[in-house]
Structure formats: C-alpha cells, structure tokens
C-alpha cells in the first residue's frame, strides 16, 4: 500500500503540507491511513515532503521523503524501491496507490477496485465529477482503458471527456518493477506521471465510483467543501445510530464521535475528538465537548465547555456556563451554573452550587479536589486544592476551603460581617441619582 502525500500545497497558502490540515478534527491524511491499514496491515508506505515526516512519527507507516518533487511517477518509484528492499515478496502481490489529500475515501471504494483488478496488471478508479477541470482523463475504447492523459497535456478533444482519473490505482508488483524504469518525463512539465503506466500495460481495467468520495483538496475552498461533505456523512451516521439532531446543519462532529440510541443534540453544538455519548444523553445548545465521556441519561449545557478528561456519570447534570477539565462526576451529581471544576473527583449525589471554583493549579503543578458522596457545596465557594471533603459534608456558601473536611460536618470560612454607620455627608449616602444633578458635598446640611 502506497500513499502519495508529498505535494507542496502552494494553492492552499500553507506553510506546512495540506495533508496535515484537519478535516472533522484530524489531519486528512490520517483517514486515508486508516483505510490503508485495513488492506495493507503493517505494509503501508507514504511518500511525504520533508516537513511532514516528523508529524507522522507516531503513525504506523513507513515514510519516504521526496526532497525534490518530480511528479507522481517519481514519488512512486521512491516508494517501490523501499518496498522491494524491505519485502521482495511484494513482486508477486498487488500494490495499491492512494492519495493523501482524499479525506472522503471509503473502504468500499477499494473493494470495488480490487474486484476489477483480478485479471489485469493494472486497474484504476474513474469518476464523473460535475467539473472535470484539473483532472486527468480516462481514454477508453470498446470499454477498454487505453491511456490516461493529464489535464495539463490534454488536447481540447481529450478535455471534453467527462470520465476522470481519481488518482487511485492497483497494480501487480512485478509489472510495477518492469514498467517504472520505462517512464519518461512529460514534454510539457518535465514530470514523471504514474498514469503513463496505463500505456505500458498490455491490458488495463477501470471501475467507477461516486465522485464525492474522491474529492481532492488543493485549495481552501475545496477544504471547506470536504469538511462540509464529511459533516453530512457524520450526521447521517449519527441518525443511523439512533441519535436525534434538532438542527443537523449546526451540529459539528469529530471523526470519532460515538453516539448511542436516544441521544438528543440541540442546535449549535461542536464535538471535538474523543467524545463518547451513552444512551439518552442530552446536549443543549452552544456547548463544546472534547475527550470526554457522558454517561446514560446525563445532560450538558447550554453554553458549557467540557474539556479533556471529563466523565459525567449516569443522570448527572453539567449546566449553563460551566467549564470542566479532568473531572469525574458520579451518578446523579450536578453542577448547574457558572462554575469551574478542574482536576476533581466528585462522588455520587453531589450538588455544586453557582460560582464554585476548584483552584487546581499552584503555578507549578495540578492538585486534586475530592468531594465524596452526598456532599453539598454552597454557592460561591472556593476549594484550594489539594482538598478532600468527606461523605455528606456541607460547605457553606461563600467559603474558601483550604483544609480537608470531615464526613457529615458543616464547613464555613467567612470574614466577620461589620456594620459601620455612615455620616450625613458621606458619598455613600449621596450618590448621584440618574437624571438628578450632583450636589456638592461641602454644601450638605449638618
């Protein structure tokens, strides 16, 4: 399996390769990699530009750096040398060529390609896009693929052909070894075209797939179109899995969002990577979630930011204008408004009032706040972590808690309230009323 991903991304106006730009929350090339691993197992090779090599270090892929881009034929030749050096047995196997900027590709597309390649040394996937500009054309006679002509080299007659090349190929390893050295540079661009292999094959076959699966990304507008198409696909998947999206067009998923039957998502919700929604969860409007688990019958929002490491237990509630991070909430626990809960372990049946803050960072390291089962936290309380509050304890409103609290106790920490009489000429008694002139303080009666 070979992935060609060494383009310069000049039309994107990016400093890094376009294949690293995210679609549905991850680099577009990673979606292609997932499909490649389904078919190629650990034998996946990717030709990349120098700036991409380090970014893919964590991926299970053999990378080959193309220092001087000289066309797809040159890129594939580099990969073929690496393949044969590592596994000479590939000469008797099929080699599939994919493109790294094709985020909408599916596994079924490759199944169709493999089915068409059984009795031919070379097979390609064709498509019929609404606009063929920029695509290579498949020249077919009597249902036989004769050649592929690149758009830059095509005549006016050839440009009128609407059957286009997706860039995806499947070929015999032995054929590739013999044919690659025979490629010659294009007289127009000086590049080596992989598509010239069709001309060198005694018999080449082709199949067709839906053009929307093969949308390449060369411009920012095409990136936007790919994101839109991917979101439509993910929304349809969510409906199929039993979720209900009240306003699908304003719900944005990550590639890996997991939804369960009975999930309800209100308008204007954005899911980052790593979100798992169990059955009957409700996500209210204007909430953002990432790397979190929301369990059975729990609810989030509106206007909530749920950050990495949050786990909300069954029937729990995280309400409006809440932010959580690395916080675990037990069953039936709730924090309904205007609080920050970070680096915390919250037990079952805990109630957290409005304006509560866990002060989890001392400028050097993060500290844990632990609230055991049944704890009640009054509004506007502050926990200076590390803190442990025992079972069924109550924290009085407005308290600053700096020491751990025993079970079944009431903890209060408030400054003494004072009442200071005001003199008649005090500005506090003579504040300017709206619409009334301000009286000079010095002329006030005794």
């Amino acid at each position: 399996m070979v992935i060609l991903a060494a383009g310069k991304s000049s039309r994107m106006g990016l400093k890094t390769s376009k294949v690293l730009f995210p679609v549905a929350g991850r680099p577009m090339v990673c979606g292609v990699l997932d499909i490649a691993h389904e078919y190629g197992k650990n034998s996946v090779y990717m030709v990349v530009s120098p700036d991409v090599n380090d970014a893919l270090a964590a991926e299970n892929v053999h990378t080959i750096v193309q220092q001087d881009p000289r066309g797809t034929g040159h890129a594939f030749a580099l990969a073929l040398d690496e393949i044969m050096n590592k596994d000479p047995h590939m000469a008797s196997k099929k080699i599939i060529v994919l493109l790294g900027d094709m985020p909408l590709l599916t596994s079924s597309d490759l199944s169709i390609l493999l089915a068409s390649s059984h009795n031919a040394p070379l097979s390609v996937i064709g498509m019929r896009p609404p606009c063929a500009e920029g695509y290579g054309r498949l020249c077919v006679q009597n249902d036989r693929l004769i050649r592929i002509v690149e758009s830059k080299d095509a005549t006016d007659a050839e440009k009128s052909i609407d059957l286009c090349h997706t860039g995806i190929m499947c070929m015999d390893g032995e054929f590739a070894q013999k044919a690659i050295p025979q490629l010659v540079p294009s007289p127009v661009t000086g590049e080596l075209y992989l598509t010239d292999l069709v001309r060198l094959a005694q018999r080449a076959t082709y199949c067709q797939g839906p053009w929307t699966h093969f949308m390449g990304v060369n411009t920012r507008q095409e990136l936007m179109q790919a994101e839109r198409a991917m979101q439509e696909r993910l929304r349809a998947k969510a409906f199929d899995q039993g979720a209900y999206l009240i306003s699908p067009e304003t719900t944005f998923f990550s590639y890996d969002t997991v939804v369960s039957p009975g999930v309800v998502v209100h308008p204007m919700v954005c899911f980052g990577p790593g979100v798992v929604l169990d059955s009957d969860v409700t996500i209210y409007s204007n909430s953002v979630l990432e790397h979190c688990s929301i369990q059975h019958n729990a609810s989030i929002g509106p206007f909530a930011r749920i950050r990495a490491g949050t786990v909300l237990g069954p029937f729990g509630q995280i309400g409006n204008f809440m932010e959580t991070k690395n916080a675990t909430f037990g069953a039936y626990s709730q924090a309904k408004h205007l609080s920050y809960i970070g680096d915390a372990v919250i037990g079952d049946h805990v109630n957290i009032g409005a304006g509560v803050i866990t002060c989890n960072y001392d400028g050097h390291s993060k500290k844990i706040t632990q609230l055991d089962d049944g704890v009640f936290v009054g509004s506007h309380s502050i926990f200076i972590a590390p803190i442990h509050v025992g079972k069924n304890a109550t924290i009085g409103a407005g308290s600053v808690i700096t020491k751990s609290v025993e079970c079944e106790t009431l903890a209060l920490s408030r400054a003494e309230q004072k009442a200071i009489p005001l003199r008649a000429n005090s500005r506090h008694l003579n504040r300017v009323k709206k619409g009334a002139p301000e009286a000079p303080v010095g002329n006030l009666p005794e």
Side-chain angles (χ1 to χ4, degrees):
M1 187 73 67
V2 175
I3 302 174
L4 304 182
K8 287 187 175 181
S9 310
S10 54
R11 283 182 283 175
M12 295 282 287
L14 300 173
K15 294 182 179 179
T16 58
S17 173
K18 63 182 178 182
V19 300
L20 298 180
F21 212 90
V23 172
R26 67 170 171 176
M28 68 176 78
V29 71
C30 290
V32 181
L33 267 173
D34 284 350
I35 295 173
H37 284 307
E38 287 185 34
Y39 289 88
K41 305 298 181 184
N42 295 324
S43 299
V44 178
Y45 297 79
M46 184 182 299
V47 183
V48 299
S49 56
D51 60 331
V52 176
N53 195 34
D54 292 340
L56 296 174
E59 301 292 338
N60 184 20
V61 59
H62 306 284
T63 55
I64 302 102
V65 178
Q66 187 183 29
Q67 297 287 353
D68 180 23
R70 290 164 46 200
T72 54
H74 176 249
F76 180 75
L78 295 176
L80 187 63
D81 286 343
E82 187 79 7
I83 290 171
M84 294 306 171
N85 287 334
K86 290 183 179 293
D87 185 7
H89 297 292
M90 284 301 297
S92 61
K93 299 178 182 179
K94 296 285 187 181
I95 299 176
I96 298 176
V97 181
L98 306 177
L99 302 183
D101 66 342
M102 207 168 277
L104 299 170
L105 186 69
T106 68
S107 297
S108 60
D109 298 322
L110 296 196
S111 298
I112 296 171
L113 174 64
L114 288 170
S116 71
S117 66
H118 283 313
N119 299 314
L122 177 67
S123 184
V124 306
I125 302 181
M127 62 175 178
R128 299 184 189 274
C131 177
E133 184 178 352
Y135 289 106
R137 306 308 204 276
L138 271 62
C139 300
V140 177
Q141 291 181 1
N142 300 322
D143 206 33
R144 181 187 170 202
L145 181 61
I146 304 300
R147 70 183 188 280
I148 299 176
V149 58
E150 295 289 340
S151 179
K152 296 176 182 178
D153 300 328
T155 64
D156 290 341
E158 289 167 337
K159 288 181 179 179
S160 67
I161 299 171
D162 65 349
L163 182 60
C164 299
H165 182 38
T166 61
I168 298 177
M169 293 182 167
C170 179
M171 68 190 79
D172 293 338
E174 184 179 5
F175 164 73
Q177 281 187 298
K178 294 178 179 178
I180 285 295
Q182 300 180 52
L183 294 180
V184 295
S186 163
V188 178
T189 65
E191 296 180 344
L192 296 175
Y193 293 149
L194 192 59
T195 49
D196 281 349
L197 292 181
V198 174
R199 177 179 52 83
L200 298 173
Q202 292 183 348
R203 189 166 64 87
T205 61
Y206 73 98
C207 59
Q208 293 189 56
W211 77 270
T212 52
H213 291 196
F214 310 106
M215 291 171 57
V217 176
N218 294 299
T219 65
R220 290 179 181 269
Q221 185 176 16
E222 290 174 346
L223 179 66
M224 174 269 294
Q225 293 169 347
E227 180 70 40
R228 181 181 296 167
M230 180 62 77
Q231 289 300 328
E232 287 298 321
R233 183 182 294 179
L234 294 172
R235 291 162 188 159
K237 179 182 176 182
F239 276 111
D240 290 341
Q241 292 173 335
Y244 175 53
L245 314 180
I246 294 176
S247 177
E249 66 278 7
T250 66
T251 301
F252 296 88
F253 288 103
S254 174
Y255 71 99
D256 61 350
T257 307
V258 176
V259 300
S260 303
V263 165
V264 177
V265 182
H266 286 245
M268 302 301 296
V269 172
C270 182
F271 296 100
V275 176
V276 177
L277 307 179
D278 286 350
S279 59
D280 301 312
V281 161
T282 300
I283 309 297
Y284 291 103
S285 295
N286 299 99
S287 296
V288 179
L289 297 83
E290 61 178 333
H291 296 292
C292 62
S293 175
I294 313 302
Q295 298 178 1
H296 173 69
N297 250 307
S299 66
I300 297 290
F303 292 95
R305 186 185 180 197
I306 310 303
R307 294 170 58 195
T310 299
V311 178
L312 180 59
F315 296 92
Q317 297 179 61
I318 294 176
N320 51 287
F321 300 102
M322 286 288 306
E323 181 178 356
T324 66
K325 189 269 297 182
N326 195 29
T328 299
F329 293 79
Y332 294 93
S333 290
Q334 58 185 16
K336 288 191 172 181
H337 17 244
L338 299 158
S339 297
Y340 168 71
I341 308 298
D343 294 290
V345 179
I346 313 297
D348 298 340
H349 298 279
V350 173
N351 184 87
I352 298 175
V356 172
I357 298 173
T358 57
C359 297
N360 55 325
Y361 185 51
D362 62 4
H364 303 282
S365 59
K366 302 294 177 68
K367 301 294 193 300
I368 299 296
T369 297
Q370 181 175 338
L371 308 181
D372 289 348
D373 296 350
V375 167
F376 181 92
V377 182
S379 296
H380 200 57
S381 294
I382 298 175
F383 293 98
I384 311 299
I387 287 292
H388 180 197
V389 179
K391 188 175 180 180
N392 294 324
T394 295
I395 307 300
S399 295
V400 178
I401 304 300
T402 60
K403 299 177 182 179
S404 292
V405 179
E406 298 292 331
C407 298
E408 300 180 357
T409 60
L410 170 64
L412 293 170
S413 175
R414 299 174 183 166
E416 180 183 356
Q417 182 172 317
K418 297 180 180 180
I420 301 173
L422 298 174
R423 292 180 297 177
N425 63 349
S426 169
R427 287 186 178 273
H428 295 292
L429 292 179
N430 295 280
R431 288 187 289 271
V432 176
K433 306 298 188 297
K434 191 173 183 179
E438 181 178 3
V441 174
N443 295 333
L444 290 175
E446 295 296 331

